[in-house]
Amino acid sequence: MFTYVALPDEVDTRELITKALALKKSVYVPHLGKSRDRITIYRISNLARDLRRGTFGIRQPKPSPGAKGRVSEMDLMIIPGLGFDHGKGRLGRGLGCFDRLLKDAKDVKKVGLAFREQIVKRVPMTRRDVRVDRVIRG
């Protein structure tokens, strides 16, 4: 499973991560590099020990070659967004990092987590934007 580590304005994922780790599930989280244009995913085994503050103050994993994952191998991806619409469109933060990551997740179930206020009639989408398969209100 892949999930994000929430920023203060996003649906919190700590409980989800903690429960998945307790059930011995493989949990991967994003690492945004210094170039800010690409996300790499890494497996974590401990929420407190394996994360540190990185780009934009986001808590992210310490890069480790042995923990690096591939999006195409995920069974589920929990995706953040500033907004989602009824057509499962997603509005990100404008860097395109998650859209580039999701392009490699063609057969992976993609779920967006949103607060009620983040679900709107329509978000702006381009050809490069990737829709999620489902939006869950957190």
Side-chain angles (χ1 to χ4, degrees):
M1 172 185 78
F2 168 89
T3 187
Y4 64 93
V5 180
L7 291 169
D9 62 346
E10 296 172 332
V11 174
D12 193 358
T13 55
R14 285 178 296 185
E15 187 175 342
L16 171 70
I17 294 169
T18 300
K19 286 184 178 183
L21 291 172
L23 292 170
K24 306 291 187 213
K25 302 290 183 185
S26 295
V27 177
Y28 292 82
V29 296
H31 177 274
L32 181 61
K34 291 182 182 184
S35 64
R36 300 179 181 164
D37 67 344
R38 185 163 205 86
I39 291 175
T40 306
I41 67 172
Y42 292 96
R43 185 176 180 175
I44 61 169
S45 57
N46 182 292
L47 190 57
R49 185 183 66 230
D50 294 345
L51 300 177
R52 64 184 170 129
R53 296 264 176 225
T55 306
F56 300 121
I58 299 169
R59 291 184 59 201
Q60 56 186 23
K62 302 168 192 170
S64 170
K68 192 173 180 180
R70 293 173 44 184
V71 171
S72 60
E73 296 173 349
M74 298 298 113
D75 55 354
L76 174 66
M77 295 184 75
I78 308 296
I79 308 299
L82 293 177
F84 295 90
D85 65 26
H86 300 292
K88 301 177 188 114
R90 176 187 161 274
L91 178 65
R93 295 183 183 272
L95 297 175
C97 297
F98 270 96
D99 291 308
R100 284 190 290 280
L101 183 72
L102 294 175
K103 288 205 185 296
D104 294 330
K106 291 179 180 29
D107 297 324
V108 180
K109 185 75 164 179
K110 297 171 277 302
V111 176
L113 292 185
F115 296 111
R116 178 180 12 173
E117 300 81 13
Q118 291 176 295
I119 301 173
V120 298
K121 189 174 187 177
R122 186 167 178 255
V123 297
M125 298 280 292
T126 69
R127 292 180 317 200
R128 292 184 300 237
D129 295 326
V130 177
R131 295 181 185 279
V132 295
D133 298 305
R134 183 166 184 189
V135 178
I136 296 176
R137 203 171 71 200

